[in-house]
């Protein structure tokens, strides 16, 4: 069992307060409201969502989670987050259930069993990582009994992203899964510059051009932390239509320091 690492910092530490904080994200002016019903056709194959403190990037993320809920709940959520702590030299996953104040989120045993023969299962590598953890309360809010596959991407090279997409596609074959890329956009730059640089990346996301995400980030030195997870999910959603739902930044959420913002973007990938 993986205990919460950032409860009380990135999100509230009690169940009721956390559930209410997630609900308020959906009701924020930066979001599109609470989900209305649940679909059954399941057209969404993936999403890109931010992972900062819940009151900062949560309203942005809520736009994607509303669409996921209304589209229909998958069998499993494969959440790919970047490694902020340098805990592993290689990409890993965890077979340990994630615990939050809202309860225990189980791991999909069938997919995890397959994946264990293809990539390292290293739960301890994720013990401090917030990029996956902050997605779990949203998944728990929209789904009463979710199953996840937590994947930490320490090597974000294009070659590693291609291999990760291949391995995950094979491990998930025959299962109805939703792939989630956890990423923030530009870090600690003026608001106008973040809008410009993030917009360039989001244009490549909208075009389903994962190679363009890499080249745009590299050529413009954009401090997007999860470009690798984003590219991997785009590969896994090949043939889908991308829709960018929202771009915001920390100033939009907090009204503090427009000269040093972090950008947040959400997108969904629909068959």
């Amino acid at each position: 069992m993986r205990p919460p690492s950032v409860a009380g910092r990135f999100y509230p530490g009690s169940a009721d307060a956390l559930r209410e904080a997630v609900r308020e994200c959906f009701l924020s002016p930066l979001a599109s409201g609470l989900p209305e019903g649940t679909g059954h056709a399941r057209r969404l194959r993936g999403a890109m969502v931010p992972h900062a403190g819940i009151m900062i990037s949560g309203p942005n993320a809520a736009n994607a989670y509303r669409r996921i809920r209304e589209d229909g709940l998958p069998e499993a959520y494969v959440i790919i987050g970047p490694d902020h702590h340098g805990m592993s030299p290689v990409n890993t996953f965890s077979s340990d259930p994630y615990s939050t104040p809202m309860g225990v989120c189980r791991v999909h045993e069938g997919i995890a069993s397959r994946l264990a023969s293809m990539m390292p299962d290293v739960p301890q590598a994720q013990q401090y990582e917030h990029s996956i953890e902050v997605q779990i309360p949203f998944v728990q809010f929209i789904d009463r009994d979710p199953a996840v596959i937590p994947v930490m991407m320490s090597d974000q090279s294009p070659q590693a992203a291609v291999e990760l997409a291949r391995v995950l596609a094979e491990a998930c074959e025959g299962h109805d899964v939703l792939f989630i890329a956890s990423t923030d956009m530009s870090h600690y730059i003026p608001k106008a510059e973040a809008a410009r640089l993030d917009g360039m990346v989001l244009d490549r996301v909208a075009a389903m051009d994962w190679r363009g995400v890499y080249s745009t980030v590299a050529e413009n030195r954009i401090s997007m932390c999860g470009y690798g997870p984003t590219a991997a999910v785009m590969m896994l959603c090949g043939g889908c239509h991308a829709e960018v739902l929202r771009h915001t930044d920390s100033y939009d959420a907090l009204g503090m320091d427009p000269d040093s913002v972090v950008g947040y973007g959400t997108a969904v990938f629909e068959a």
Side-chain angles (χ1 to χ4, degrees):
M1 179 82 65
R2 181 198 182 276
S5 171
V6 294
R9 293 190 294 128
F10 279 60
Y11 57 80
S14 72
D16 289 345
L18 177 54
R19 190 172 292 106
E20 181 59 22
V22 175
R23 183 175 182 274
E24 288 299 318
C25 288
F26 286 93
L27 297 175
S28 164
L30 302 178
S32 50
L34 289 165
E36 298 178 357
T38 304
H40 303 285
R42 282 282 297 120
R43 294 180 59 86
L44 292 186
R45 296 293 174 261
M48 182 188 82
V49 291
H51 58 231
I54 195 168
M55 299 313 296
I56 306 172
S57 69
N60 189 303
N63 291 282
Y65 284 106
R66 172 178 172 155
R67 286 287 298 274
I68 293 167
R69 169 71 181 183
E70 292 180 343
D71 181 67
L73 301 177
E75 180 184 342
Y77 304 80
V78 179
I79 305 173
I80 310 173
D83 177 5
H84 288 86
H85 299 276
M87 294 294 288
S88 173
V90 297
N91 298 333
T92 61
F93 85 103
S94 173
S95 59
D96 278 4
Y98 263 63
S99 174
T100 78
M102 291 169 64
V104 176
C105 184
R106 61 189 173 91
V107 167
H108 191 288
E109 292 183 0
I111 298 173
S113 178
R114 284 188 191 173
L115 200 52
S117 66
M118 305 180 207
M119 66 184 299
D121 177 6
V122 189
Q124 62 269 29
Q126 297 188 19
Q127 61 182 322
Y128 305 120
E129 184 52 55
H130 66 276
S131 64
I132 298 169
E133 180 179 334
V134 297
Q135 307 304 337
I136 304 295
F138 282 96
V139 171
Q140 292 175 314
F141 187 86
I142 65 169
D143 190 333
R144 291 184 179 180
D145 184 28
V148 298
I149 295 292
V151 178
M152 192 173 74
M153 195 169 184
S154 301
D155 181 354
Q156 295 196 55
S157 66
Q159 298 84 357
V162 169
E163 176 62 11
L164 179 60
R166 184 194 68 78
V167 165
L168 289 175
E170 184 175 340
C172 296
E173 186 176 0
H175 295 283
D176 178 16
V177 304
L178 182 89
F179 298 101
I180 296 175
S182 181
T183 185
D184 293 340
M185 307 290 288
S186 294
H187 285 66
Y188 310 119
I189 61 175
K191 182 177 177 65
E193 184 69 355
R196 183 182 73 84
L197 294 175
D198 293 354
M200 294 168 63
V201 177
L202 293 173
D203 283 347
R204 294 302 87 215
V205 171
M208 288 299 290
D209 178 11
W210 67 265
R211 292 180 180 85
V213 169
Y214 270 106
S215 61
T216 299
V217 168
E219 290 167 9
N220 296 278
R221 299 184 179 182
I222 299 173
S223 51
M224 177 181 183
C225 56
Y227 54 89
T230 300
V233 167
M234 292 171 70
M235 291 179 222
L236 286 158
C237 297
C240 287
H241 165 73
E243 181 182 356
V244 175
L245 302 178
R246 181 77 72 172
H247 176 258
T248 63
D249 59 48
S250 52
Y251 179 81
D252 297 327
L254 300 178
M256 297 173 60
D257 199 356
D259 293 323
S260 181
V261 306
V262 179
Y264 311 115
T266 56
V268 291
F269 307 106
E270 184 174 12

